[in-house]
Structure formats: C-alpha cells, structure tokens
Amino acid sequence: MEVAMSAVAGELVSRFISLLMSKYHSSIHAQSKEQNLAKRLRHLLMRVGTVVEEADGRYITNSGMLAQLKMLSEAMYGGYRVLDTLMYRALRNSAGFDEVSSNDSFNSHLYLIKRSRRMADGAGCLESDGALESLEAAAANMTEFVMLLGGCERMSRRPYDTYLYTDNFMFSRHAEKQKLLSFLLQHNDPPGGGQATAVLPIIGGAKVGKKTLVAHACGDERVRARFSSVLHLNGDSLLRHGRTKFGVKMLVVIEFASDVGDDDWKRFHSLVTRMGRGSKIIIVSRLQRLARFGSVKPIFLSAMSYDELRYLFKTLSFGSEDPAEHPQLVQIADEFAKNFHGTEGSLVATNAYADVLRRNLDVKFWRRILDKGMRMVKRNLAIYGMHPNTLIYHGHPVDITDFALHPLRMTPYSVRFPVREKWPSVTFGDLITNPGIRPKGDFTLVTWESRIPPHRSFPNFVTSCAQDTHEGSPLSGRKRQGVAI
C-alpha cells in the first residue's frame, strides 16, 4: 500500500513539475516574443518619427503627400502607445510593482485596472501585432514620400521650433498646418484678371486649437513677408470696422460665434477685396454653416485621437525626463489621458494637469492628483449629471470642492461675465497642490495659460458654495433639483 501511495505521489509531483516547466517555457517564449516586438517597434518608430519631424519643417502642397503624412503620424502615435504597454508589461512581469495606495477609492480603482490587465493580455498581443503591421506598412511606403519631400522648400525655423515635442511648440496637426500654409502662400487669384478674395474657413469645436493653428501660420516667415499686416476681427465688427487700409495686401482673420447673413457677408467680402489684390480671409468658427463662404475646401479640426492626446500628455508631464525610467508614472499618465479623451476642452485639461505633474515625478503625488480629479468628476456627475469639461464648455458652474478641500464653485469668465481685475488670482496648479493658499472670499482661478501664440489664458470666477451643502456632507450623492444646465 505504501509503495502504491509513494508511486502515485511521485507521479503527481512529476506532473506538477512538468506543468510548471511548461508554463515557464510558455512564459519565456511570450516574453521573448514581446521583447522582439518592442525592439522592432522602437526601430520603426525612430524611422517614422524622423520623417514626420522632417516633413513638419517643409512646405508641402501636394494633397497626396498630406494624406500620407497624416497616415504616418497616426501610425506613429499608436505605435508609441503599444511600445509603452509592452515595456511596462515586461517590467511588471520581471520585478512587479507596489501599487498600494492609502486611498480606498484609488485601491478599488487599481484593482479594476489589474483585473482588466489580466483579461486584456491576450488582446494586447493582437494589438501589438496590429500596431507593428501598421507601422511596417507605413514605413514600406515612405520611400517615394521621402524622395518627394526632398523637393519641398525648407521652412525657416525659429529657435524654439527646432524642439518638436515641447510645450512651446504646436503639437500634432501636421497636415492641417501644411494646408493652411499652402492656402496663405499660394497665388490663387481667379483667372481672367478677377480680384475676388480667397476665403478659407477653419471649423472646429471649442478649444481644439483653431486660433492656435492660425497664430502658428501667421508666425511663419514667408507668411509675414507676403502680407502687409494681419487684421483680427470678430463677427460683431463685421460691418463696423472703419479704419480699413486700401491698396495693401491684408490677411483678415475673423471669428464668428454665430451665423451671419449672406448679404452682410457679401458686403464685408467686397470691402476686403478692395483692400488690395492678393488679400485673403480666414474664417474661424464652431459653426459648420459658415463653411459655405469658403472659396477653397474648409479645414475641419476635430478633437485629438486618444493616441495623440496620450502622447502629448506624457510628453508634457515628463518634460526633459525619460518616461522609460518611470514606468509606473507612464501607466498613471494613461489613466489621466483616458479621463480627458472624448470631453470638451480636453486640450486645456491636458496642459493644466501636465503642468502640475511635471513639478514632482513621484508615484504617490501623481496618484493623489489623479484621485482628486476623479472625485471631482464623480461629484459633478452626481450634482449636475454632466462631466465638468462639458459644464465649462457651456459656461455653467463646476464644483471644485475636491481641489480646495472647501466647498467652492467655479464658473468660466465670458463676455457677459468679464474678468474681475482687482480680485486675488490663483493658478490651478497652486490650488490643487496646496489648498491652504485659497484666498478668503471670491477669487480668480487661472486653469492654464498657453505658452505659444495667441497666448490664451483660461480664467474662472470662484466663489464659496458652502450654503448649498449639508454640514459634514458636501456631496449628497444625488442630482440637485432645479439646476439649469
């Protein structure tokens, strides 16, 4: 009997060891495959990134080349996301990370992240293969593109423009920048000696970079040399602009918040035409109806893709530091990007939070900021039934109690509610990292100030909303009744 039991036990131990060895070899094979994928991705990204950067410094007028440039940039940003995922997975499997937070809500959030990671490992391999195939296809078709690129005139770059991926440079929008420059630099006067002024509409949602795109093009050396001056107008001054210069080549940039009648537009267009031959008009608006006034195909600016937004946020957050040396922070940056993507004003939120995180590359600090942001989103969804970015987009109040540890409500300044110059002012970064600096009484909170033209600032009016909360329970957990959205 003992001999039989010993034989059975030996067989079980042998099978268990065989199972472990099989899993070990499978794991080694999978890791080796991922390492090869990462190596090939890194090599392709270097090649594609070099071409995209070079293309960004040339004047491209060929529509086919612009389409290919867009495809290259999309494949590049997707490849960077997959490469980061592969690198983090390899480090996690080899060493493991302490992902424990003192915050219960964050612990539960991390548990869901870990669970989703385990479920997505198989899908991740397929995604890695797909990203590699996409990059390989893009790289395989680059030869002709690179040859044609060599015949495109090089731009005269300002010092800060040589650093493609910094917060002092307009990120992405490669094809759109080229289309706008091509419009401004082309001699597209109508045949037969006509003098009708060319019009390009730039249409897009709020805070997607329409005016930044225009400012970038107006800063180009050849554009500045081509036009005597650049005139910035808004729709209200369409027919009230009395100091018009005639006989000079003007670039008129006009922003519309509402639609304009066809007769009013014809009178304004005729006025610009009389300014001087070669004058041009750029329309900036959210309204697609205004595209009807264009003499060329409009530029439609949509929100950035997730891969673009994620890459931008990671680049801004790490600054001059190498993200590869902070794999945990890269994963937290992904969570920020997921929360920003698909919401109005995501570019503003991306820059505002990145400015904060860049101050301290510490895992606990980043988690604390992420936790505050997630609690603020949940609070506003519970109170108003809308994401805070959507509320700001429509000019409605946002509850920022979680940022200041005091019941506060923030409302964006507008034409109807101008900035109070004499009120104390605090930046978003200072308030979220040190709530103790909150001024007593009402104050101005500056969410973010752009470092590139047109150097736009995003100020908000902040007031206490303590009277709207129950003592000891600032969030009742249900939507308030009677709140106008």
Side-chain angles (χ1 to χ4, degrees):
M1 184 67 178
E2 291 181 1
V3 174
M5 291 182 65
S6 177
V8 170
E11 179 65 20
L12 289 175
V13 170
S14 177
R15 290 185 179 182
F16 179 67
I17 292 175
S18 297
L19 178 62
L20 289 179
M21 291 297 294
S22 176
K23 287 186 175 182
Y24 172 76
H25 288 301
S26 298
S27 175
I28 292 297
H29 176 72
Q31 290 180 24
S32 177
K33 180 182 178 181
E34 287 193 351
Q35 288 174 359
N36 290 332
L37 276 173
K39 185 177 180 179
R40 292 167 65 188
L41 267 175
R42 195 177 291 109
H43 174 70
L44 285 169
L45 284 169
M46 184 181 298
R47 289 181 59 198
V48 173
T50 299
V51 173
V52 170
E53 182 174 353
E54 181 63 25
D56 222 36
R58 303 267 184 165
Y59 293 104
I60 302 175
T61 58
N62 185 294
S63 59
M65 290 182 68
L66 292 177
Q68 191 166 359
L69 176 59
K70 187 175 180 65
M71 181 190 70
L72 283 172
S73 61
E74 289 174 351
M76 179 181 71
Y77 295 127
Y80 275 118
R81 173 176 53 81
V82 173
L83 179 62
D84 285 341
T85 301
L86 289 174
M87 291 174 63
Y88 180 78
R89 190 184 300 161
L91 289 169
R92 189 188 68 203
N93 292 338
S94 62
F97 297 122
D98 177 21
E99 296 185 315
V100 178
S101 169
S102 59
N103 187 287
D104 291 338
S105 66
F106 200 91
N107 279 333
S108 61
H109 180 64
L110 283 177
Y111 169 75
L112 294 175
I113 294 175
K114 292 177 183 178
R115 184 179 178 184
S116 66
R117 283 173 185 160
R118 289 193 295 268
M119 296 174 64
D121 275 348
C125 291
L126 294 176
E127 184 183 28
S128 303
D129 292 337
L132 184 63
E133 290 176 3
S134 177
L135 268 175
E136 286 179 334
N141 297 320
M142 279 196 317
T143 304
E144 185 179 16
F145 179 84
V146 172
M147 290 178 62
L148 292 171
L149 192 62
C152 298
E153 184 180 351
R154 189 181 295 276
M155 296 179 186
S156 175
R157 308 300 289 268
R158 295 177 298 283
Y160 67 77
D161 284 347
T162 59
Y163 302 96
L164 181 61
Y165 302 121
T166 70
D167 57 358
N168 286 338
F169 187 85
M170 185 183 178
F171 176 80
S172 189
R173 307 297 190 195
H174 307 286
E176 291 85 353
K177 286 184 286 189
Q178 295 287 354
K179 289 178 182 177
L180 178 53
L181 286 171
S182 178
F183 166 77
L184 295 175
L185 297 175
Q186 277 181 350
H187 296 276
N188 48 8
D189 292 329
Q195 293 185 355
T197 301
V199 182
L200 170 65
I202 298 178
I203 310 296
K207 302 171 185 175
V208 296
K210 299 185 295 295
K211 286 184 281 191
T212 303
L213 176 64
V214 173
H216 174 86
C218 290
D220 182 85
E221 187 178 76
R222 289 182 62 186
V223 172
R224 294 199 306 271
R226 185 174 182 81
F227 297 96
S228 300
S229 62
V230 179
L231 184 63
H232 292 271
L233 303 174
N234 59 58
D236 293 335
S237 59
L238 182 65
L239 299 175
R240 293 189 288 103
H241 188 71
R243 298 182 179 179
T244 302
K245 296 180 180 179
F246 293 99
V248 295
K249 189 183 295 185
M250 299 277 292
L251 173 59
V252 180
V253 181
I254 182 164
E255 182 178 3
F256 287 106
S258 58
D259 199 4
V260 60
D262 289 357
D263 291 338
D264 289 338
W265 173 257
K266 287 178 182 178
R267 285 194 291 271
F268 174 75
H269 186 265
S270 176
L271 176 66
V272 177
T273 299
R274 294 198 304 272
M275 289 181 181
R277 187 179 181 86
S279 294
K280 296 188 177 183
I281 301 174
I282 297 175
I283 295 175
V284 177
S285 181
R286 304 179 191 179
L287 305 175
Q288 290 197 19
R289 275 183 52 79
L290 294 176
R292 70 187 189 275
F293 296 135
S295 63
V296 297
K297 188 176 180 180
I299 293 177
F300 291 102
L301 280 188
S302 58
M304 284 187 177
S305 68
Y306 169 70
D307 289 335
E308 287 178 308
L309 188 70
R310 175 196 172 278
Y311 187 91
L312 173 62
F313 182 73
K314 186 185 74 170
T315 303
L316 294 176
S317 299
F318 285 97
S320 59
E321 292 288 327
D322 183 3
E325 297 180 2
H326 306 274
Q328 287 180 282
L329 296 184
V330 171
Q331 288 297 316
I332 299 174
D334 283 351
E335 295 304 309
F336 274 104
K338 288 173 185 175
N339 281 281
F340 297 151
H341 184 246
T343 63
E344 293 89 349
S346 57
L347 274 178
V348 177
T350 294
N351 281 275
Y353 276 93
D355 282 351
V356 175
L357 299 178
R358 192 166 54 240
R359 303 178 184 184
N360 186 358
L361 299 183
D362 176 74
V363 172
K364 291 183 178 179
F365 175 76
W366 280 37
R367 286 174 178 167
R368 186 166 64 250
I369 300 300
L370 175 61
D371 189 43
K372 283 187 176 183
M374 292 178 65
R375 284 192 281 114
M376 190 271 283
V377 171
K378 291 178 181 178
R379 182 184 296 272
N380 281 276
L381 287 172
I383 297 174
Y384 301 113
M386 283 188 177
H387 193 283
N389 284 358
T390 304
L391 293 168
I392 293 173
Y393 175 83
H394 292 290
H396 295 304
V398 174
D399 191 303
I400 58 169
T401 299
D402 299 289
F403 291 162
L405 306 181
H406 179 85
L408 294 178
R409 182 182 295 127
M410 177 183 81
T411 306
Y413 285 116
S414 63
V415 175
R416 292 178 298 175
F417 191 64
V419 178
R420 269 54 169 180
E421 298 289 349
K422 295 183 179 180
W423 283 354
S425 178
V426 176
T427 66
F428 166 76
D430 290 339
L431 181 66
I432 197 172
T433 55
N434 182 17
I437 68 167
R438 173 181 57 85
K440 293 182 179 180
D442 300 339
F443 63 97
T444 295
L445 179 68
V446 180
T447 305
W448 176 58
E449 291 181 289
S450 175
R451 294 177 177 84
I452 61 176
H455 302 290
R456 188 176 175 187
S457 176
F458 296 89
N460 305 270
F461 163 64
V462 179
T463 187
S464 175
C465 58
Q467 65 273 15
D468 297 334
T469 62
H470 298 288
E471 186 174 347
S473 179
L475 177 62
S476 62
R478 58 186 175 84
K479 298 178 186 177
R480 293 177 184 165
Q481 301 297 317
V483 178
I485 300 299

